[in-house]
Amino acid sequence: MNYFLWFFLFLSIPIIVHLFSFRRARKILFTNVRFIRKASTETRSKTRIKHWLILSARFLAFLSLIFVFVASIRDFNSTELDANDSFGLVYLDNSHSSVGNDVSDDIAFIERLILESESSKGYLLTNNFDPFSNHERSRSEIIDELPDISLSYSDRTFKEVLDRVEFSGDLYFVSDLQHSDGKSLERIKKDSLRNYYIFLKEQSSARNVYIDSIWVEKDIDDYQTNILRCKIGQTSNFSEGSIVVKLMDEFRNQISSVVVKLENRQDVSFSLPAVLSGTRFRLSLTGDDIEYDNDFFFVLGKIRYPKILVLSATYNKYLSNIFGNEQLFNLVISNYSDIDYKKISEADLVVMNDFYRIPEDIIRQNSENTSFIIIPSDSIDIDNYKRETGFSLKPSNSNFQEVQMNEGNLLLRGVYNRFKKLSDLPSAKRAFEVSGIQEVIFSLRDGGTYLGNSVGETIYLFSSPLSDEYTELPNHSVFLPLMYRIAEESLGSELSLFVYPGDFLEVPNLTADKPPRIISENYETIPEVTLRDRLSLIRIPVNLPPDFYYVIQGEDTIQSFGLNLAKSESQLEGSTFNELTNYFSDSPHVRIISASNGYEDISLPSTKTDSIWKYALILTLIFILVETMLHRYLK
């Protein structure tokens, strides 16, 4: 039983006083007592009524006085009348999107929130999810810890925060609720056994620009040059504006820059200088509405040249010429009758030209790490092709038609923009109709597939031989960038190297004798590691700030990488105050308080009531006055 109920024992006081407040009757002598009986009866009834009224007024006065004490200590309407004197759990969202670059105002508000609660203990949770956050601690311990709270680089979802809570008291959220979702809000709405106080730092009006993604590809005009392409992201309320995107080295020396008009939502391209692998770069954004994520760190990875294996039943000059550039490819040519299965497993791209039959299981056993280009002969074993490639083929004898490029195919990125205006695209005709699970790269004017690739596997299939009798493609300028892009895609990874907090980084050459470390100029930590034969996995800690880092084991530097702020933290697309207020309008246990303009004007919710005890005190005085009036005027 709650210890506040012991106050109700004071209600026995007016009863005891009433029982022991009888006065001894005064004797009055009369010469004639003929009329005494009637007068005595009337007097006894009035006295009994007077005593009951006085007892009631006195009883109600004591009851009101008890409520004065009880309500001044705890909220009588609180859903959590426990006896542990805890203010509950306070969650501070100290992520970039919520606090910006300075968390001091939020810390001061949390301190005021805890001090004004007049409770002796409770819980404190931040985005770091420290181990002690699920342990109840004294108010003084939490206050002492507040100055040590700093900016967090993790992007916790609202579901993660709710799952972290392991006690049943009141909850106070100081957050922008950027990562809230419908299920989590519904969960709060249904949990009416405790109170929720949400101090919302609304971000709906904020505008932000950030680097959404980057990738590196070859220049189709000069395949010895790398092109860095980056996609600019921006919040949905952006309609116009401009920024400057700068490509800089790790020492902030500017290499080049581009002015971007945001209303056009254009991508940005830079020509990367001739650098050694492992060179570190940053993209820097300057201009209006740049909130905090204005640097993007990446490392140019090791440039590896594709290993090309051409297996051909007959000599094909086009394939030899296009992959014969030793500065771009490691080319090996073998005859159909001299297949080396070890070379197939080591190759990035295998070109199988003019095969009547495809050797059994040669694709299936190597498709995980190797790409295949299948160029059929004019006569093939159709059942064998279907079984080994997954495509369905049947003979066809179409006329020469103009080849058309699929604009949406990622393989043609850059190629399509260069050749889409050409009116003299090459012509070709099909030797076979191709169907099955595929993505069309080149088609003919009648809609038939000329070049397609399998979905889920990297198998590219032409619908006719690569000879002058069937196609003009090898003699056209579009053929070179097409084949180069297929060879580039066969490498399976981008040339740039960057990660986000919580990602897994593939690292080679790790051993089990010493734990690897992640270090930068200002930080050093030992990460979680999963060892594998070739490439081990390192999980990037969520509390590291964006910067350049090294992976070091012992005295050896294994790898360098760039760490960036989580993309979701840059989007600033949180719940609005009106949305939450309307959603929880029928939930009295949930209170939404706007903190968008700071904390100065916010009146803090408290575990004590600001009004009930005052009304109870007024009632106490009224009932005392009633008792006095009864004594004075009721005879």
Side-chain angles (χ1 to χ4, degrees):
M1 180 181 295
N2 193 285
Y3 66 85
F4 291 114
L5 298 180
W6 288 100
F7 278 100
F8 287 97
L9 290 177
F10 285 99
L11 292 177
S12 62
I13 295 176
I15 298 175
I16 295 173
V17 171
H18 178 73
L19 292 176
F20 291 93
S21 64
F22 301 114
R23 294 180 180 178
R24 179 176 297 179
R26 188 172 57 176
K27 183 184 295 186
I28 301 176
L29 300 176
F30 287 90
T31 58
N32 193 334
V33 294
R34 220 174 12 166
F35 305 104
I36 291 297
R37 182 177 301 276
K38 184 177 180 180
S40 174
T41 302
E42 292 178 357
T43 303
R44 188 181 299 116
S45 299
K46 291 182 179 180
T47 303
R48 186 179 295 113
I49 293 173
K50 176 182 177 181
H51 287 170
W52 280 112
L53 290 175
I54 291 175
L55 175 62
S56 299
R58 191 176 295 158
F59 185 88
L60 292 174
F62 269 81
L63 182 62
S64 301
L65 187 61
I66 289 172
F67 274 107
V68 171
F69 287 102
V70 173
S72 66
I73 300 174
R74 286 297 300 260
D75 185 352
F76 190 71
N77 291 325
S78 172
T79 58
E80 182 62 25
L81 290 174
D82 57 13
N84 63 7
D85 196 24
S86 172
F87 56 76
L89 181 141
V90 178
Y91 164 64
L92 172 60
D93 180 1
N94 54 333
S95 64
H96 250 306
S97 62
S98 182
V99 303
N101 290 313
D102 187 5
V103 73
S104 59
D105 290 343
D106 299 86
I107 292 175
F109 175 69
I110 296 298
E111 183 175 4
R112 183 159 66 98
L113 180 67
I114 295 175
L115 289 175
E116 294 194 14
S117 69
E118 297 187 358
S119 300
S120 62
K121 52 190 174 181
Y123 300 80
L124 176 66
L125 178 65
T126 67
N127 272 18
N128 293 334
F129 280 13
D130 296 310
F132 54 75
S133 59
N134 272 333
H135 297 284
E136 190 175 49
R137 290 172 295 158
S138 68
R139 181 173 64 175
S140 59
E141 289 178 328
I142 296 178
I143 296 298
D144 291 341
E145 178 201 334
L146 289 177
D148 296 330
I149 296 178
S150 59
L151 194 64
S152 174
Y153 299 93
S154 57
D155 56 335
R156 301 293 185 184
T157 64
F158 201 40
K159 180 181 182 302
E160 286 181 292
V161 175
L162 292 176
D163 289 343
R164 184 77 176 182
V165 177
E166 297 181 354
F167 87 115
S168 57
D170 293 346
L171 299 183
Y172 302 80
F173 295 100
V174 182
S175 171
D176 58 359
L177 258 63
Q178 182 177 339
H179 305 301
S180 61
D181 59 274
K183 289 184 178 180
S184 297
L185 296 180
E186 181 69 17
R187 180 173 165 184
I188 290 178
K189 194 171 188 178
K190 292 180 177 179
D191 183 15
S192 59
L193 297 179
R194 58 180 163 192
N195 295 322
Y196 289 86
Y197 302 93
I198 300 176
F199 299 91
L200 181 64
K201 305 184 70 175
E202 190 173 358
Q203 299 283 9
S204 59
S205 60
R207 305 198 308 172
N208 191 35
V209 184
Y210 56 94
I211 301 295
D212 180 86
S213 58
I214 68 169
W215 65 94
V216 179
E217 60 186 35
K218 296 289 186 181
D219 187 346
I220 62 174
D221 294 318
D222 180 7
Y223 259 69
Q224 298 188 44
T225 301
N226 293 320
I227 300 296
L228 171 68
R229 303 193 184 277
C230 60
K231 181 179 179 181
I232 305 298
Q234 58 198 69
T235 50
S236 58
N237 55 1
F238 236 119
S239 59
E240 61 182 10
S242 61
I243 60 169
V244 178
V245 184
K246 300 178 182 178
L247 176 64
M248 312 173 76
D249 63 19
E250 62 178 306
F251 306 109
R252 290 191 173 273
N253 297 315
Q254 181 174 321
I255 298 172
S256 59
S257 63
V258 176
V259 177
V260 179
K261 295 291 184 180
L262 296 174
E263 53 267 32
N264 298 329
R265 295 182 179 271
Q266 67 188 70
D267 294 342
V268 180
S269 300
F270 296 97
S271 294
L272 288 177
V275 293
L276 299 175
S277 100
T279 303
R280 311 198 287 186
F281 297 94
R282 78 173 73 206
L283 289 167
S284 182
L285 306 180
T286 57
D288 297 334
D289 298 296
I290 303 300
E291 291 292 327
Y292 49 81
D293 46 353
N294 55 346
D295 283 328
F296 192 93
F297 302 89
F298 69 99
V299 178
L300 186 66
K302 181 179 181 180
I303 301 176
R304 188 167 67 89
Y305 301 108
K307 296 180 180 179
I308 311 296
L309 174 61
V310 175
L311 300 175
S312 183
T314 58
Y315 174 74
N316 188 293
K317 62 179 180 180
Y318 301 118
L319 296 176
S320 300
N321 291 338
I322 204 165
F323 292 122
N325 189 336
E326 296 181 355
Q327 295 181 332
L328 299 177
F329 306 106
N330 294 322
L331 176 64
V332 176
I333 300 178
S334 296
N335 191 273
Y336 172 78
S337 59
D338 186 24
I339 296 178
D340 188 335
Y341 286 87
K342 182 178 180 182
K343 289 182 179 179
I344 293 176
S345 63
E346 294 175 349
D348 298 304
L349 175 64
V350 175
V351 183
M352 306 177 71
N353 176 61
D354 205 25
F355 279 28
Y356 172 74
R357 289 176 55 87
I358 298 175
E360 187 174 351
D361 291 335
I362 195 172
I363 296 177
R364 192 175 298 108
Q365 292 178 0
N366 298 281
S367 60
E368 183 176 350
N369 300 313
T370 304
S371 301
F372 291 86
I373 297 178
I374 311 297
I375 306 170
S377 64
D378 53 6
S379 177
I380 64 172
D381 184 338
I382 290 180
D383 291 336
N384 167 264
Y385 266 67
K386 180 179 180 180
R387 184 172 57 252
E388 299 301 324
T389 66
F391 292 96
S392 296
L393 295 89
K394 62 180 181 179
S396 175
N397 189 17
S398 67
N399 297 322
F400 270 86
Q401 305 172 49
E402 187 179 68
V403 171
Q404 296 181 331
M405 292 184 289
N406 179 6
E407 177 184 358
N409 191 280
L410 293 178
L411 187 70
L412 299 178
R413 186 174 55 207
V415 179
Y416 180 85
N417 292 331
R418 175 178 174 181
F419 293 98
K420 65 181 178 180
K421 295 182 180 180
L422 294 181
S423 58
D424 59 341
L425 286 171
S427 297
K429 67 176 182 177
R430 295 188 304 274
F432 304 95
E433 290 185 9
V434 181
S435 60
I437 303 175
Q438 59 175 303
E439 183 179 6
V440 177
I441 301 172
F442 281 177
S443 61
L444 299 181
R445 185 171 292 278
D446 63 4
T449 300
Y450 180 66
L451 172 62
N453 75 289
S454 59
V455 177
E457 296 183 1
T458 49
I459 303 174
Y460 302 88
L461 177 65
F462 284 88
S463 63
S464 63
L466 209 62
S467 62
D468 296 339
E469 181 184 354
Y470 284 93
T471 182
E472 299 174 352
L473 180 63
N475 296 310
H476 194 277
S477 56
V478 75
F479 186 57
L480 177 71
L482 169 68
M483 300 302 280
Y484 276 17
R485 285 305 312 276
I486 293 178
E488 181 184 345
E489 290 293 318
S490 71
L491 290 174
S493 61
E494 300 287 356
L495 297 179
S496 60
L497 186 57
F498 65 91
V499 293
Y500 296 109
D503 283 355
F504 285 96
L505 177 68
E506 292 185 341
V507 180
N509 306 321
L510 287 183
T511 59
D513 55 343
K514 294 181 180 179
R517 295 171 293 149
I518 293 178
I519 68 170
S520 68
E521 185 176 347
N522 300 313
Y523 289 87
E524 178 175 344
T525 185
I526 297 178
E528 173 188 339
V529 182
T530 302
L531 292 176
R532 294 183 175 178
D533 293 337
R534 296 177 58 188
L535 291 174
S536 299
L537 296 179
I538 288 182
R539 187 177 182 86
I540 306 301
V542 297
N543 57 346
L544 292 179
D547 203 346
F548 294 113
Y549 289 86
Y550 290 103
V551 178
I552 294 179
Q553 188 169 43
E555 301 298 326
D556 299 326
T557 300
I558 308 298
Q559 189 167 312
S560 178
F561 65 91
L563 176 64
N564 298 289
L565 188 70
K567 193 190 305 183
S568 58
E569 279 293 289
S570 304
Q571 295 167 350
L572 303 181
E573 303 288 347
S575 301
T576 67
F577 178 77
N578 290 334
E579 290 172 349
L580 291 179
T581 302
N582 293 334
Y583 184 80
F584 292 112
S585 59
D586 57 347
S587 303
H589 64 287
V590 181
R591 181 180 172 189
I592 312 298
I593 303 103
S594 176
S596 301
N597 299 321
Y599 302 108
E600 291 78 9
D601 299 327
I602 294 180
S603 57
L604 298 179
S606 175
T607 53
K608 64 178 182 178
T609 302
D610 294 327
S611 57
I612 293 180
W613 71 270
K614 297 178 183 178
Y615 296 130
L617 182 59
I618 294 173
L619 286 175
T620 301
L621 297 176
I622 290 175
F623 289 128
I624 291 175
L625 179 62
V626 169
E627 181 186 359
T628 303
M629 298 295 290
L630 289 173
H631 276 293
R632 183 175 182 86
Y633 296 105
L634 189 60
K635 300 298 184 180

